[in-house]
Amino acid sequence: MIRSLNSFDLKDKRVLIRVDYNVPVENGVVKDAYRIQCSIPTIKECLEAGASVVLMSHLGRPNGSTNDNYSMISVGEVLSDFLEIPIKFSHDCINEDSINVTIGLHPGEVHLLENLRFHTGEEENDFEFSRLLSKHGQIFINDAFGTSHRSHASNVGVTDNFMHKGMGLLMEKEIQYLMHKFKKPKEPLVLLLGGAKISDKIDMIERFIIKAKSILIGGGMTFTFLKAMGLNVGKSMIDESMISTAKTIIKKARQNRVKIKLPVDFVVSDAIDKPSKIETVSFDSIPDNMIGLDIGPETIKLFSNIILQSGTVLWNGPMGVFEKKEFENGTKSIANLLSDMKDQNIDTIVGGGDSASAIRKFSDIENITHVSTGGGASLELLGGKNLPAIAALEKL
Ligand code: AMP
């Protein structure tokens, strides 16, 4: 059993929280503060209970050495704005100075540590690095769901040094919706998959092929399925190495009476960038020189009708190249549909990465039952894997 935040007596304690502040930063400015915003409830709960808080995270890939481009300073500015208090910052996460700052904290104060990955010990899950990190807290809380599929010092090694450890509010919500809910989802369960890569969604398909009523497939991965069925896909993206896997999935779906629905029409174009010709065609008449870049209007209708009859819909992966205005319509329509379904007693769960960005770009995230903050971590958890950082919280 993993302890929840509210099971601890936090008064006058120093709480070390692993957060996920791996956010896009350009020229020292945070471009998307969503992950920082998601960490606020846990921090506030600790502060209101009379604790002081030490926050640690990685940012980007500095590969074990100090690099100003990956400094947490810009994150600290945004954090301070969200919390509406000044915060303390240390330029190194394990040196004596930083540990002294932590020891000097008063209840209600926050201390942000510099990027964990400025030390090789973080990704190596080094014993000594974990021990030094643990000096920052009397209680350890992991709220960094996005890195749970990694076995690093700050989310796995560090836990061996704590008697008192547990999950933050964000982590708890992710586990609730991506793990517990799917043990007994509201029926019928519909899976909507898209994006470019099939390979990282295979475990999820295998797991849900016996549970789901329908699996709807859009995005670039469609064309590997169409190819597996012997259809012409023009110049659309295909993954040759996945054709036989696609055939097996189609066969398994038939055996399990799961309906796999592929698009019935596509928006095709001569180019992704600066297209000179865009048209909508049926799935079986993609011209040789054209690329399929979005699902078409008939597919949007077909998918929407199935989604509206579901009890739970799990969405992972965009329906087209939604980064381009010309090819965003499929993804946008799905994002709007899920948002509009708010009052329909349907659980809408969005599994991180690009589909989460699409929800935030096109619709109202507040209307969705759960939008995961983790890309890879959510795929692995939904695929039925044990995530090392979650398992580490269960160890006594
Ligand atoms: P993934 O990481 O596998 O979920 O893939 C996400 C990416 O798939 C996004 O950047 C989309 O632009 C891309 N994508 C979606 N549909 C297509 C398509 N039909 N052709 C090429 N790329 C696509």
Side-chain angles (χ1 to χ4, degrees):
M1 254 258 299
I2 304 177
R3 287 185 70 177
S4 298
L5 193 59
N6 63 15
S7 74
F8 295 94
D9 176 11
L10 298 167
K11 190 162 169 34
D12 296 326
K13 299 289 191 319
R14 288 191 303 274
V15 184
L16 174 61
I17 311 179
R18 175 49 159 113
V19 283
D20 183 3
Y21 290 164
N22 185 27
V23 294
V25 177
E26 266 172 47
N27 303 319
V29 178
V30 173
K31 287 288 164 198
D32 180 351
Y34 181 62
R35 283 181 165 169
I36 304 176
Q37 190 184 357
C38 288
S39 74
I40 302 299
T42 296
I43 301 171
K44 281 202 167 154
E45 179 124 343
C46 292
L47 298 178
E48 280 160 18
S52 56
V53 165
V54 182
L55 299 166
M56 58 176 175
S57 175
H58 77 282
L59 172 59
R61 297 198 168 131
N63 297 324
S65 55
T66 303
N67 180 334
D68 286 347
N69 293 329
Y70 299 103
S71 172
M72 284 288 173
I73 291 178
S74 39
V75 169
E77 284 162 7
V78 176
L79 183 63
S80 175
D81 286 347
F82 274 124
L83 292 171
E84 297 176 311
I85 52 170
I87 59 167
K88 295 180 190 299
F89 179 76
S90 283
H91 291 274
D92 186 273
C93 58
I94 49 165
N95 69 6
E96 223 181 304
D97 282 354
S98 74
I99 289 163
N100 286 336
V101 171
T102 293
I103 291 169
L105 287 176
H106 296 108
E109 289 188 328
V110 175
H111 179 201
L112 173 67
L113 304 179
E114 184 53 287
N115 195 340
L116 294 160
R117 290 197 188 167
F118 284 180
H119 291 264
T120 52
E122 166 61 356
E123 288 182 84
E124 289 166 359
N125 192 11
D126 178 69
F127 179 83
E128 182 58 9
F129 183 69
S130 305
R131 192 186 68 79
L132 290 169
L133 284 178
S134 68
K135 287 185 161 197
H136 284 288
Q138 295 155 314
I139 294 170
F140 172 70
I141 294 295
N142 190 349
D143 215 17
F145 175 72
T147 50
S148 302
H149 56 319
R150 308 273 178 236
S151 190
H152 292 164
S154 64
N155 62 354
V156 173
V158 76
T159 59
D160 288 334
N161 301 292
F162 284 93
M163 284 269 294
H164 304 291
K165 57 195 167 205
M167 57 191 165
L169 301 173
L170 175 63
M171 180 71 98
E172 186 162 1
K173 193 163 172 251
E174 298 272 13
I175 292 174
Q176 165 69 12
Y177 282 105
L178 302 183
M179 241 169 115
H180 301 325
K181 271 263 179 201
F182 283 103
K183 288 191 182 133
K184 233 176 171 292
K186 225 184 276 169
E187 305 277 0
L189 169 64
V190 170
L191 233 63
L192 172 64
L193 301 177
K197 292 184 283 312
I198 301 184
S199 53
D200 54 9
K201 291 165 196 123
I202 286 295
D203 286 344
M204 201 162 102
I205 298 176
E206 295 265 350
R207 180 174 168 216
F208 285 108
I209 214 160
I210 44 173
K211 277 193 168 177
K213 169 109 174 156
S214 313
I215 300 182
L216 317 177
I217 297 179
M221 60 193 268
T222 311
F223 303 103
T224 304
F225 281 91
L226 292 183
K227 189 87 184 167
M229 291 160 67
L231 286 153
N232 179 31
V233 298
K235 285 189 174 166
S236 311
M237 67 156 31
I238 53 160
D239 182 346
E240 292 282 354
S241 68
M242 281 287 151
I243 290 182
S244 70
T245 308
K247 282 184 186 160
T248 312
I249 292 171
I250 294 168
K251 201 166 139 203
K252 269 196 191 163
R254 267 192 213 124
Q255 284 163 356
N256 289 291
R257 294 172 193 274
V258 172
K259 285 196 193 99
I260 289 208
K261 289 269 180 218
L262 293 166
V264 290
D265 58 352
F266 291 103
V267 174
V268 298
S269 170
D270 57 339
I272 298 184
D273 295 308
K274 301 205 183 102
S276 58
K277 192 173 173 202
I278 299 179
E279 56 190 23
T280 301
V281 298
S282 159
F283 74 99
D284 53 1
S285 47
I286 300 175
D288 285 344
N289 57 345
M290 298 290 255
I291 318 165
L293 294 169
D294 195 9
I295 55 173
E298 290 305 317
T299 307
I300 296 173
K301 266 192 233 154
L302 174 75
F303 284 7
S304 300
N305 285 335
I306 296 172
I307 289 169
L308 282 166
Q309 285 162 36
S310 68
T312 305
V313 53
L314 169 60
W315 180 28
N316 197 296
M319 296 291 103
V321 181
F322 74 109
E323 297 91 339
K324 302 266 171 198
K325 194 127 195 61
E326 299 90 332
F327 313 116
E328 69 177 23
N329 193 41
T331 307
K332 189 177 178 175
S333 305
I334 295 292
N336 287 333
L337 173 72
L338 297 197
S339 174
D340 292 346
M341 280 163 34
K342 182 175 164 261
D343 299 319
Q344 302 219 17
N345 196 24
I346 300 172
D347 284 338
T348 47
I349 301 187
V350 178
D354 281 321
S355 11
S357 319
I359 288 283
R360 287 162 48 220
K361 182 171 174 187
F362 301 125
S363 66
D364 188 353
I365 199 165
E366 298 298 324
N367 291 349
I368 308 295
T369 312
H370 181 63
V371 179
S372 179
T373 51
S378 71
L379 281 174
E380 289 198 20
L381 195 56
L382 288 166
K385 287 208 179 118
N386 279 327
L387 305 191
I390 295 178
L393 294 176
E394 277 168 348
K395 267 198 308 181
L396 291 175

